[in-house]
């Protein structure tokens, strides 16, 4: 595809950047020998809007999340309330086309018309192909017509058009890359056949499902035969069990009727028994009330006696506690006095230690004063050493980098004698010879700059060594001073502890004199404690004897009181039982419940007999189901085999079959083309390898698309995603262009033009120049006539053959 003329009306990028409602560019006026054509102008001048429309697809790729017309709308990029027009003349494989897209935005209704015309003689006529497709102004027919001429937009915008924000190949999923490469390799016809096979499968599956839906009930019926036989036997067993239960329930009804008759007979003879029972009950209640009164008085007397005993025990315990406190107090005073007397030798030793420590302190403090250290000087030296070390490292790195640049420049300058055009009349137009001469002219300056780096490194190293030696002396003195200070602190602590002991010296003699008196007091306190403890033991023994005696007395008194109660209770127990009305009611209820149980069992046994008849009927239909199932199984097997055949064909012709094999075959060729471009432009530092399969955790291979990059300079191998931003850019661009070259070689499709919009942004100056070399190599290898590009780097603009200044449009 070669762009010829572009006319845009109503686009916000043009109206905002140029202040004009419309622009028109005649690209065929540019010299045909100009391979690299740059669109230049300040930011916001409309360069990207123009670049995004230098193709016939209905999408502006840098403004869309996907390179397909269905994911993009022109109306978001038109001046509000204004209609839009894109008219684009272009040529592909010797045929001239005109794309006309009109966007009507006035009012609420938005309408878009799109036409593709083909030049026949001097006139443009609507596009029409052999399949009957006609460009009639509808957007869908226009898109299909453009795809029929140029192919899928995903392929065009991946391989030929590098838009801003384009999704890199390395970030695409395996499925996305597979679909893209299938389109590149012209496998759409194969995938269409796979789609037809899928349609056949979809047509067969409803018939298969209908037959299977008939098979399932029949299989269930046949498989249930054994269950039905078991159910039949179970029902026979349950019927027999219910018969036995019904007989038992009828016997229970007779027993309940007998019990009811006995109760009704006894109810007429119980008036005399009721009178005796009432008299005995009254006497029993009076006897119990009198017993309770007498027992309460007896218990109250025992409680009073026990309270007196408890009071005596409490007084004895209080006396023991007072005596124990007196013993404890005397013991503590005697212990303190004895401990003070025992400190005599320790105080004498402390005095001697204090004198020795004071003498050592004087000597150590004198040594510390002699080691006075200038802390400010040491801090300044530490900072100076750090600064000098950083400066030396920076200068050394700069020198190494410059050495590498000089080495590369020397290799480039050496090409002056090697390039074939050296000495010929057309040498002035040779870009490679010009670069070699520029490198040779800069060598002298670079050598002088390298000597400056070396001189500065030597000066920084001398200063660093001198300051480091002085700093080592100060650090050693500081260490000795800190060790002396630790010893001084230990001795001062020792003197302080000795002074604390010497404070007790005046009280030692007083303590020695009072020792005997304190021993006498302790002896008297121990004697009092012994007497108090003996009194407490006697009180506790008396209390225990009292409690034991009261328990026995209470039991004896209780037996005496209960003799009359026991007599009356026995008399009541000997009376015949009285039949109450509630008993008669309960007996009648029991008869009713027994009769109802018989009725329920009769219902249950009838239900079981109905179920038994249903099971016998189902067993009779099993033989018929077996014959029907045999016929249906033959039909189902035949359709299933057809579905299996068409499924295999669908997989073989689809993404996971022949398409995947073709993509696997293309991988090494694309890698080789990419590595050739990297070799031409970057000296073979990077080597790319494409992997289309990866092993899962279980060891099974799955489809994937992984880009491995080997850095021969550093001896490293990484995934493309793990490389730096600039490295990703040029490797991704080489890979994309390699795919474009492979598509050209394999399909024979002749695209004449490439496009790129600010793809060099993350690159450093050297890589930018190499980037331009790669572009020219792609044009030459692929037989492309031109590349249109946008860049903000003045050096790259100068390397282009022609420029379109958008500010003059």
């Amino acid at each position: 595809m070669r762009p010829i003329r572009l006319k845009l009306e109503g686009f916000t990028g043009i109206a905002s950047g140029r202040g004009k409602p419309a622009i028109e560019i005649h690209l065929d006026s540019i010299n045909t020998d100009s391979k690299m054509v740059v669109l230049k102008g300040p930011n916001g001048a409309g360069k990207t809007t123009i670049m995004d429309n230098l193709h016939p697809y209905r999408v502006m790729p840098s403004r869309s999340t996907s390179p397909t017309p269905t994911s993009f709308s022109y109306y978001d990029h038109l001046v509000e309330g204004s209609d839009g027009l894109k008219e684009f003349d272009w040529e592909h494989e010797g045929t001239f086309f005109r794309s006309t897209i009109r966007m009507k935005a006035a009012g609420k209704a938005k309408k878009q018309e799109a036409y593709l015309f083909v030049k026949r003689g001097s006139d443009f006529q609507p596009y029409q192909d052999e399949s009957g497709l006609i460009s009639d102004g509808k957007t869908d027919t226009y898109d299909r017509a453009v795809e029929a001429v140029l192919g899928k937009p995903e392929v065009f915008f991946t391989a030929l058009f590098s838009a801003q924000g384009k999704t890199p190949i390395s970030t695409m999923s395996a499925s996305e890359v597979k679909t893209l490469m299938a389109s590149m390799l012209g496998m759409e016809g194969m995938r269409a056949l796979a789609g037809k096979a899928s349609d056949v499968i979809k047509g067969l599956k409803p018939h298969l499902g209908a037959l299977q839906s008939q098979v399932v009930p029949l299989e269930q019926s046949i498989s249930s035969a054994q269950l039905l036989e078991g159910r039949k036997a179970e029902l026979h067993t349950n019927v027999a069990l219910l018969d036995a239960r019904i007989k038992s329930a009828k016997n229970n009804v007779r027993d309940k009727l007998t019990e009811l008759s006995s109760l009704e007979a006894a109810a007429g003879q119980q008036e005399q028994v009721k009178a005796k029972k009432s008299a005995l009950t009254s006497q029993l209640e009076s006897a119990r009330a009198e017993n309770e009164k007498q027992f309460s008085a007896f218990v109250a007397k025992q409680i009073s006696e026990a309270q007196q005993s408890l009071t005596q025990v409490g007084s004895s315990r209080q006396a023991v506690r007072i005596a124990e406190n007196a013993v404890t107090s005397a013991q503590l005073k005697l212990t303190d006095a004895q401990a003070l007397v025992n400190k005599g030798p320790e105080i004498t030793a402390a005095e001697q230690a204090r004198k020795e420590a004071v003498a050592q302190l004087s000597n150590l403090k004198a040594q510390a004063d002699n080691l006075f250290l200038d802390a400010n000087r040491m801090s300044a030296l530490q900072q100076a050493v750090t600064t000098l070390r950083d400066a030396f490292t920076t200068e050394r790195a700069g020198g190494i980098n410059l050495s590498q640049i000089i080495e590369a420049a020397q290799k480039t300058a050496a090409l002056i004698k090697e390039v074939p055009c050296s000495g010929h009349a057309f040498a002035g137009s040779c870009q490679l010879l010009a670069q070699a001469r520029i490198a040779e002219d800069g060598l002298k300056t670079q050598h002088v700059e390298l000597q400056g780096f070396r001189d500065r490194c030597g000066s920084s190293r001398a200063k660093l060594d001198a300051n480091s030696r002085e700093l080592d002396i100060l650090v050693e003195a500081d260490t000795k001073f800190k060790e002396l200070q630790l010893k001084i602190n230990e001795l001062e602590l020792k003197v302080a502890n000795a002074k604390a002991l010497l404070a007790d010296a005046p009280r030692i003699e007083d303590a020695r004199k009072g020792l005997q008196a304190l021993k006498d007091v302790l002896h008297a306190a121990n004697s009092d404690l012994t007497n108090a403890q003996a009194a407490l033991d006697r009180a506790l023994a008396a209390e225990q004897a009292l409690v034991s005696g009261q328990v026995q007395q209470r039991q004896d008194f209780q037996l005496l009181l209960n003799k009359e109660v026991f007599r009356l209770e026995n008399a009541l127990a000997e009376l015949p039982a009285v039949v109450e009305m509630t008993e008669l009611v309960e007996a009648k209820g029991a008869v009713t419940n027994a009769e109802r149980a018989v009725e329920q069992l009769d219902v249950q046994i009838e239900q079981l007999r109905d179920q038994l008849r249903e099971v016998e009927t189902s067993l009779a239909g099993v033989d018929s189901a077996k014959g029907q199932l045999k016929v249906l199984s033959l039909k189902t097997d035949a359709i299933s085999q057809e579905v299996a055949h068409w499924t295999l064909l669908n997989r073989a012709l689809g993404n996971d079959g022949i398409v995947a094999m073709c993509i696997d075959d293309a991988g090494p060729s694309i890698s080789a083309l990419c590595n050739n471009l990297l070799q031409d432009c970057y000296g073979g530092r990077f080597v790319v390898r494409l992997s289309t399969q990866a092993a899962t955790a279980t060891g099974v291979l799955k489809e994937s698309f992984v880009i491995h990059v080997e850095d021969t300079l550093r001896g490293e191998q990484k995934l493309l995603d793990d490389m730096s931003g600039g490295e990703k850019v040029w490797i991704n661009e080489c890979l994309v262009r390699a795919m474009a070259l492979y598509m050209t070689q394999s399909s024979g499709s002749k695209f004449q033009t490439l496009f790129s919009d600010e793809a060099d942004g993350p690159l450093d100056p050297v890589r930018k120049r190499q980037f331009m070399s790669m572009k020219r190599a792609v044009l030459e290898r692929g037989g492309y006539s031109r590349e249109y590009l946008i860049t903000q780097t003045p050096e790259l603009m100068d390397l282009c053959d022609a420029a379109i200044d958008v500010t003059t449009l």
Side-chain angles (χ1 to χ4, degrees):
M1 192 277 293
R2 179 175 66 87
I4 299 173
R5 182 183 67 89
L6 175 66
K7 181 179 180 181
L8 298 176
E9 292 183 3
F11 282 77
T12 55
I14 303 303
S16 174
R18 298 296 306 119
K20 295 181 178 181
I23 62 166
E24 185 170 354
I25 308 174
H26 291 272
L27 301 169
D28 55 349
S29 64
I30 301 172
N31 189 333
T32 55
D33 293 332
S34 298
K35 295 286 189 180
M36 307 292 293
V37 179
V38 63
L39 275 67
K40 69 177 184 177
N43 289 332
K47 300 188 298 298
T48 298
T49 300
I50 295 171
M51 179 70 79
D52 273 357
N53 285 284
L54 287 179
H55 58 84
Y57 294 103
R58 285 190 316 110
V59 63
M60 295 171 66
S62 65
R63 303 287 192 265
S64 176
T65 57
S66 173
T68 55
T70 55
S71 64
F72 175 77
S73 173
Y74 278 114
Y75 294 104
D76 298 332
H77 304 282
L78 298 180
V79 177
E80 187 174 359
S82 174
D83 294 341
L85 168 67
K86 173 182 175 179
E87 191 170 272
F88 180 57
D89 292 350
W90 50 288
E91 179 261 332
H92 184 66
E93 295 185 345
T95 303
F96 291 86
F97 299 88
R98 173 173 290 171
S99 296
T100 301
I101 303 174
R102 301 181 183 277
M103 291 75 72
K104 295 183 179 181
K108 294 183 178 179
K110 295 181 179 180
K111 184 178 180 181
Q112 187 175 150
E113 296 178 353
Y115 297 91
L116 179 64
F117 299 101
V118 182
K119 192 173 184 180
R120 309 290 186 192
S122 59
D123 298 329
F124 281 95
Q125 300 176 3
Y127 173 86
Q128 183 175 1
D129 62 13
E130 297 177 354
S131 67
L133 174 65
I134 301 175
S135 178
D136 55 2
K138 297 178 182 179
T139 56
D140 61 333
T141 56
Y142 173 84
D143 294 336
R144 288 163 55 198
V146 173
E147 286 189 20
V149 177
L150 296 181
K152 293 289 186 180
E154 298 94 323
V155 177
F156 180 83
F157 290 112
T158 299
L160 304 171
F161 198 113
S162 295
Q164 289 189 34
K166 180 180 72 173
T167 302
I169 293 291
S170 61
T171 62
M172 292 184 181
S173 67
S175 176
E176 291 172 336
V177 174
K178 187 184 293 183
T179 301
L180 176 64
M181 293 189 70
S183 299
M184 285 184 176
L185 299 174
M187 307 296 293
E188 292 299 323
M190 194 76 68
R191 297 178 67 196
L193 290 175
K196 292 180 179 179
S198 177
D199 293 339
V200 173
I201 295 170
K202 291 178 182 178
L204 289 173
K205 282 187 175 180
H207 296 287
L208 181 62
L211 290 175
Q212 288 175 339
S213 65
Q214 299 176 41
V215 168
V216 171
L218 293 174
E219 288 179 340
Q220 290 177 345
S221 176
I222 294 171
S223 63
S224 64
Q226 187 174 359
L227 295 175
L228 290 172
E229 291 291 350
R231 179 62 175 163
K232 179 180 178 181
E234 180 185 356
L235 289 172
H236 276 299
T237 302
N238 290 341
V239 168
L241 291 174
L242 273 179
D243 275 333
R245 289 178 61 188
I246 290 172
K247 291 179 182 178
S248 176
K250 289 179 178 179
N251 291 333
N252 186 45
V253 169
R254 288 193 293 271
D255 292 342
K256 296 300 180 183
L257 286 172
T258 302
E259 292 178 6
L260 177 60
S261 299
S262 299
L263 287 173
E264 288 175 343
Q269 304 175 4
Q270 62 185 2
E271 291 301 325
Q272 185 178 2
V273 174
K274 286 183 178 180
K276 285 186 178 182
K277 185 174 182 179
S278 176
L280 288 173
T281 301
S282 177
Q283 295 176 24
L284 181 60
E285 290 175 355
S286 297
R288 286 173 176 169
E290 180 62 24
N291 286 356
E292 184 176 353
K293 179 179 178 182
Q294 292 185 27
F295 188 74
S296 297
F298 184 81
V299 170
K301 178 182 177 184
Q302 284 190 332
I303 290 173
S304 177
E305 293 173 351
Q307 189 62 44
Q308 292 176 4
S309 178
L310 286 174
T311 301
Q312 182 62 38
V313 170
S315 298
S316 299
R317 283 201 175 99
Q318 181 65 24
V320 169
R321 282 195 292 271
I322 292 172
E324 286 174 344
N325 291 337
V327 169
T328 300
S329 177
Q331 185 67 52
L332 288 174
K333 289 178 180 179
L334 181 60
T335 300
D336 291 342
Q338 188 64 53
L340 193 58
V341 170
N342 293 340
K343 274 188 179 181
E346 185 180 357
I347 289 174
T348 301
E351 175 61 21
Q352 182 62 30
R354 185 187 68 80
K355 291 177 181 180
E356 293 174 356
V358 168
Q360 292 179 21
L361 273 174
S362 299
N363 183 28
L364 292 177
K365 287 181 177 179
Q367 293 180 38
D369 292 339
N370 293 334
L371 286 174
F372 175 72
L373 178 66
D374 188 349
N376 293 332
R377 175 60 179 164
M378 186 171 71
S379 177
L381 279 173
Q382 288 173 332
Q383 185 175 0
V385 167
T386 301
T387 302
L388 286 170
R389 186 177 289 112
D390 293 342
F392 175 76
T393 302
T394 302
E395 292 292 342
R396 184 173 179 273
I400 292 171
N401 185 47
L402 184 56
S403 296
Q404 294 175 348
I405 293 173
I406 289 172
E407 183 182 353
Q410 287 173 341
K411 291 180 180 179
T412 304
L415 296 175
I416 293 176
K417 298 178 181 179
E418 297 176 8
V419 294
C421 62
S422 179
H424 292 278
F426 55 86
S429 62
C430 178
Q431 295 289 336
L432 181 59
L433 186 58
Q435 291 179 3
R437 286 172 177 168
I438 292 171
E440 183 182 37
D441 294 340
L443 277 175
K444 294 179 181 180
T445 304
Q446 291 170 340
H447 277 298
V448 172
E449 186 178 351
L450 178 60
Q451 186 59 44
F453 273 115
R454 289 171 176 167
D455 294 342
R456 288 193 295 276
C457 282
S459 176
S460 297
R461 168 57 71 182
K463 292 180 181 179
L464 177 62
D465 292 343
N467 286 335
S468 296
R469 286 192 296 271
E470 184 179 353
L471 179 61
D472 290 342
I473 294 171
L474 290 176
V475 169
E476 183 179 0
D478 182 61
T479 302
K480 290 181 180 180
F481 179 78
K482 290 178 179 177
E483 290 175 355
L484 286 173
Q485 192 61 48
L486 285 174
K487 293 179 179 178
I488 289 171
N489 292 340
E490 291 175 358
L491 288 172
E492 287 178 343
L493 178 62
K494 190 173 182 180
V495 170
N497 292 336
K499 287 181 179 180
L501 282 173
L502 291 173
D504 290 333
R507 297 190 296 120
I508 292 176
E509 187 59 30
D510 294 338
R512 186 180 290 108
K513 294 178 181 179
L515 276 177
Q516 187 57 46
L518 290 173
K519 291 178 180 178
D520 295 340
V521 170
L522 177 60
H523 178 74
N526 281 324
S527 179
D528 292 341
L529 176 59
T530 300
N531 295 333
Q533 187 64 51
L536 175 60
D537 292 342
R538 290 193 296 273
L540 288 172
E543 180 192 18
Q544 184 63 34
L546 178 63
V547 169
S548 299
Q550 285 183 339
V551 170
Q552 187 61 45
Q553 290 172 5
R554 193 180 300 118
Q555 292 174 352
D556 294 342
F557 189 69
Q558 187 77 48
L559 289 173
L560 180 63
L561 292 176
N562 285 339
K563 285 183 178 180
E564 181 62 17
V565 171
F566 292 156
R567 186 187 68 80
L568 293 172
E569 288 176 346
N570 290 333
L572 277 172
E574 292 174 356
L575 289 175
V578 176
V579 178
E580 303 291 344
M581 288 302 297
T582 55
E583 294 182 65
L584 289 172
V585 171
E586 289 175 358
K588 291 177 180 179
V591 171
T592 302
N593 291 337
E595 291 173 344
R596 188 178 294 116
V598 172
E599 294 173 358
Q600 292 174 350
L601 289 172
D602 287 338
V603 172
Q604 291 179 22
I605 198 169
E606 190 59 34
Q607 291 174 346
L608 287 176
R609 286 169 178 161
D610 291 340
Q611 293 176 19
L612 183 59
R613 284 190 289 270
E614 291 176 1
V615 169
E616 290 172 344
T617 302
S618 298
L619 283 171
V622 169
D623 291 337
S624 174
K626 288 180 180 179
Q628 296 177 32
L629 179 61
K630 185 176 181 180
V631 175
L632 287 174
S633 295
L634 293 174
K635 293 180 180 179
T636 303
D637 292 343
I639 297 178
S640 296
Q641 290 177 3
E642 284 295 312
V643 170
H645 293 326
W646 286 103
T647 300
L648 179 61
L649 185 60
N650 177 47
R651 293 189 62 186
L653 297 175
N655 279 351
D656 296 329
I658 297 174
V659 174
M661 295 171 65
C662 292
I663 291 173
D664 288 343
D665 291 341
S669 300
I670 294 173
S671 299
L673 290 170
C674 180
N675 291 329
N676 288 338
L677 291 176
L678 290 170
Q679 174 69 36
D680 292 345
C681 304
Y682 308 119
R685 174 182 173 183
F686 296 102
V687 178
V688 171
R689 179 173 59 84
L690 304 183
S691 175
T692 57
Q693 287 188 328
T696 63
T698 59
V700 178
L701 290 178
K702 69 172 184 177
E703 296 296 327
S704 67
F705 189 81
V706 182
I707 304 171
H708 303 276
V709 181
E710 181 181 357
D711 187 339
T712 60
L713 178 62
R714 298 176 181 169
E716 299 174 345
Q717 185 169 349
K718 302 179 182 177
L719 297 180
L720 180 55
D721 283 345
D722 297 333
M723 305 195 73
S724 68
E727 292 171 341
K728 283 183 183 179
V729 168
W730 79 66
I731 293 175
N732 190 75
E733 285 300 311
C734 285
L735 180 60
V736 167
R737 295 313 187 199
M739 294 174 72
L741 292 175
Y742 183 81
M743 182 176 66
T744 300
Q745 296 172 4
S746 62
S747 65
S749 177
K750 297 296 182 183
F751 283 87
Q752 300 180 47
T753 315
L754 300 176
F755 307 85
S756 61
D757 188 352
E758 296 190 19
D760 61 305
L763 302 179
D764 58 47
V766 175
R767 300 302 182 203
K768 286 178 184 284
R769 291 193 292 273
Q770 294 174 338
F771 191 59
M772 292 296 287
S773 299
M774 182 271 289
K775 288 179 176 292
R776 290 190 181 276
V778 171
L779 291 174
E780 182 179 352
R781 288 176 179 273
Y784 300 104
S785 60
R786 179 172 295 169
E787 177 170 351
Y788 291 96
L789 69 147
I790 297 175
T791 179
Q792 296 297 339
T793 306
E795 294 177 61
L796 300 191
M797 292 183 186
D798 295 339
L799 293 176
C800 292
D801 303 320
I804 300 174
D805 189 348
V806 298
T807 61
T808 63
L809 297 177

